[in-house]
Amino acid sequence: MNLGIKKLSGTYRVGLTSMLLFLLSCSTARNLKEQKIKLTPPEIETFAAILNLKGDTNKGKIKLNLELFYKKNGSLIFYPHTSWGSGFFKAKLQEDTLTIYFPEDQKYYRDDIENFQEKTNWGWEIKLKELMEMIVEKNLESSERAEISYKKFKKYEAYDLPSEIELKFKSTSKKIKVKFKEQRINPDLEDKIFQLEIPEEAQRVDLVEE
């Protein structure tokens, strides 16, 4: 039966088939290119970072460059990152105990983390351990008093990690930004990194809000 449809010539049919195959291959290649393969970071056993903390708290503005090291056994140590050394303090969080050593003044503070936040009028509207969890684990989406956003993902070694984290406090709309200069997941960290030696002559002090 003739339906009025002309048969395609052999040459035209081959040319049309080749063109369709070409278009399909380009489309497939483009779709594959657009699909980024994101590797899920492994469970964090250790973590190291150089970061910048900047923003407003209830106690005023803050701007700090920190070097931070974490080990899953409950050890976390951090101190100012400067071109001439660890700066004016070195802090260690071991389970629920916070120790801060001031080497220039030969003084140190040690107390339960909850007492520290209460006595010093912490003023961050987020607990210190939540802040550290946000920086290390990056799985805290919000807290009782703050919204947390993970932004500007970049490739760090084999993983896509946020290079910036923003905290927005619910009651005041004040913000704090954490910007990572460097970060490494599960690096080989020597035990001595987590040692915070307090000289015998150092004086223990209390950090009390006046």
Side-chain angles (χ1 to χ4, degrees), residues 74 125 139 147 175 181 191 203:
E125 300 185 52
N139 58 5
E147 294 292 339
K175 295 180 182 180
K181 296 180 179 179
D191 290 339
Q203 178 186 358

Side-chain angles (χ1 to χ4, degrees), residues 9 11 14 25 35 61 63 65 69 82 85 87 91-92 100 117 119 121 126 131 144 163 170 175 187 192 206:
S9 67
T11 304
V14 171
S25 65
Q35 292 175 0
K61 293 185 180 295
K63 185 177 181 180
N65 291 315
F69 300 93
T82 65
K92 181 176 181 178
I100 307 175
Q117 292 173 161
K119 289 180 180 179
N121 188 16
I126 184 173
L131 179 65
E144 182 180 350
S163 64
K170 298 176 182 179
K175 295 180 182 180
K192 65 180 182 180
D206 194 11

Side-chain angles (χ1 to χ4, degrees), residues 47-53 64-70 76-83 85-87 89-91 132 135 181-182 189 193:
F47 180 76
I50 297 175
L51 56 95
N52 173 264
L53 273 170
L64 277 174
N65 291 315
L66 294 178
E67 197 160 348
L68 179 146
F69 300 93
Y70 164 83
L76 186 144
I77 197 160
F78 58 94
Y79 44 82
H81 177 73
T82 65
S83 58
S86 60
F89 78 86
K90 196 170 187 178
M132 293 299 112
I135 290 173
K181 296 180 179 179
E182 296 180 25
L189 300 178
I193 291 177

Side-chain angles (χ1 to χ4, degrees), residues 4 12-13 24 35 52 66 80-81 91-92 95 102 109 164 171 176 183 187 195-196 206:
Y12 188 80
R13 186 167 58 249
L24 285 171
Q35 292 175 0
N52 173 264
L66 294 178
H81 177 73
K92 181 176 181 178
E95 296 180 349
F102 305 92
Y109 166 86
E164 186 175 303
S171 62
I176 288 179
Q183 53 182 325
Q195 294 175 0
L196 181 56
D206 194 11

Side-chain angles (χ1 to χ4, degrees), residues 179-206:
K179 293 184 178 181
F180 292 94
K181 296 180 179 179
E182 296 180 25
Q183 53 182 325
R184 294 181 62 193
I185 294 177
N186 295 338
D188 186 14
L189 300 178
E190 297 181 1
D191 290 339
K192 65 180 182 180
I193 291 177
F194 298 93
Q195 294 175 0
L196 181 56
E197 297 182 0
I198 309 295
E200 293 183 5
E201 63 271 18
Q203 178 186 358
R204 186 169 182 172
V205 296
D206 194 11

Side-chain angles (χ1 to χ4, degrees), residues 50-150:
I50 297 175
L51 56 95
N52 173 264
L53 273 170
K54 184 178 180 181
D56 293 310
T57 71
N58 289 339
K59 295 183 69 176
K61 293 185 180 295
I62 183 170
K63 185 177 181 180
L64 277 174
N65 291 315
L66 294 178
E67 197 160 348
L68 179 146
F69 300 93
Y70 164 83
K71 184 178 283 189
K72 194 177 179 180
N73 64 6
S75 295
L76 186 144
I77 197 160
F78 58 94
Y79 44 82
H81 177 73
T82 65
S83 58
W84 57 84
S86 60
F88 64 94
F89 78 86
K90 196 170 187 178
K92 181 176 181 178
L93 184 59
Q94 181 76 44
E95 296 180 349
D96 292 324
T97 301
L98 177 67
T99 303
I100 307 175
Y101 175 49
F102 305 92
E104 292 184 1
D105 297 328
Q106 287 292 288
K107 295 179 179 180
Y108 74 98
Y109 166 86
R110 181 178 290 137
D111 205 345
D112 181 270
I113 187 66
E114 295 296 333
N115 289 336
F116 163 77
Q117 292 173 161
E118 181 180 349
K119 289 180 180 179
T120 59
N121 188 16
W122 173 237
W124 279 57
E125 300 185 52
I126 184 173
K127 295 180 179 180
L128 178 58
K129 292 189 76 171
E130 290 178 330
L131 179 65
M132 293 299 112
E133 179 183 347
M134 176 196 74
I135 290 173
V136 175
E137 300 283 352
K138 301 179 180 62
N139 58 5
L140 187 65
E141 298 295 335
S142 66
S143 69
E144 182 180 350
R145 299 181 180 180
E147 294 292 339
I148 302 167
S149 302
Y150 300 92

